[in-house]
Amino acid sequence: MDMLSHALWGYAALRSRGPRSARWGALTGAAPDLLYAAGSLTERLIRDGTSHLEQTFGTAAYYRKDGPPMPQELIDYYNHFYVYSHSLVLLGAVALAWWALRLRPPWLLIPYALHIFMDIPTHERYQTPFLFPLSRWTIEGYAWGRPAMFLANWALLLLTYQVLYWLYWRRGTPARKAPWPEEVTGIG
Ligand SMILES: [Zn+2]
């Protein structure tokens, strides 16, 4: 899925905990791809300086079976970064450590997990090995760049934000009496 959708879903996923949690949720929702891009960018900057930076980012068509071939370099980045930042196993380990250290549920990792769950069925190539490093098993999905998937995603986003609007933003929304959950237990 595109990074903007991931961020918007991340925001929506944590909105019921409060506005600040939701803003952080947008960031952690996009984080698997941000980490992947940051890793790729750093590696390329160290090696080549600022030339050819545009090749660091792929396009939606790469994830379609009938799309243009992904350059070898991006495949390398996929193997070096994507498989780590899109692993439910590694995320689970981080979540357990977080919970153990802070003694509360790692709310901010929910948008992160949602990101991985959305990538699994929406890549036809360069699929999401969510069990890495235990297994490289993947599922062939239906690419998010295909019109049907793209439109379905944005239609669902629109619907979701319509609900958020009715709940929180429309004029005349009654003032909130109870504190937001984030004010009671913290953001993450
Ligand atoms: Zn992703």
Side-chain angles (χ1 to χ4, degrees), residues 42-183:
T42 311
E43 191 178 287
R44 187 183 269 276
L45 277 171
I46 289 170
R47 208 191 48 229
D48 302 339
T50 50
S51 56
H52 311 303
L53 268 186
E54 75 287 352
Q55 284 170 25
T56 304
F57 298 98
T59 71
Y62 286 152
Y63 301 99
R64 293 166 59 147
K65 275 187 297 190
D66 55 0
M70 188 136 104
Q72 184 56 42
E73 195 150 25
L74 285 184
I75 297 178
D76 293 344
Y77 289 150
Y78 170 87
N79 285 317
H80 290 154
F81 300 110
Y82 184 93
V83 295
Y84 289 93
S85 69
H86 288 68
S87 161
L88 286 177
V89 174
L90 297 177
L91 177 66
V94 171
L96 278 178
W98 183 317
W99 208 326
L101 288 172
R102 309 192 69 188
L103 300 177
R104 60 188 191 220
W107 293 102
L108 288 181
L109 297 185
I110 290 173
Y112 197 111
L114 185 65
H115 178 127
I116 300 174
F117 279 114
M118 294 182 83
D119 275 359
I120 293 169
T122 56
H123 287 200
E124 290 171 12
R125 291 189 301 183
Y126 315 115
Q127 296 157 6
T128 304
F130 56 98
L131 298 175
F132 181 85
L134 301 180
S135 158
R136 282 251 179 184
W137 187 70
T138 55
I139 292 166
E140 183 187 314
Y142 185 77
W144 60 264
R146 291 191 186 278
M149 187 62 98
F150 193 81
L151 289 176
N153 171 54
W154 281 93
L156 281 173
L157 268 173
L158 263 177
L159 203 70
T160 303
Y161 275 79
Q162 185 72 37
V163 172
L164 291 184
Y165 171 80
W166 272 99
L167 287 174
Y168 304 119
W169 301 320
R170 106 191 110 95
R171 223 187 283 180
T173 308
R176 200 178 162 84
K177 291 192 193 89
W180 289 105
E182 68 183 11
E183 290 163 10

Side-chain angles (χ1 to χ4, degrees), residues 2-13 22-31 34 111 115 157 161:
D2 62 285
M3 239 196 265
L4 177 62
S5 297
H6 282 307
L8 289 171
W9 281 119
Y11 182 97
R23 285 198 288 275
W24 280 102
L27 189 68
T28 56
L34 288 174
H115 178 127
L157 268 173
Y161 275 79

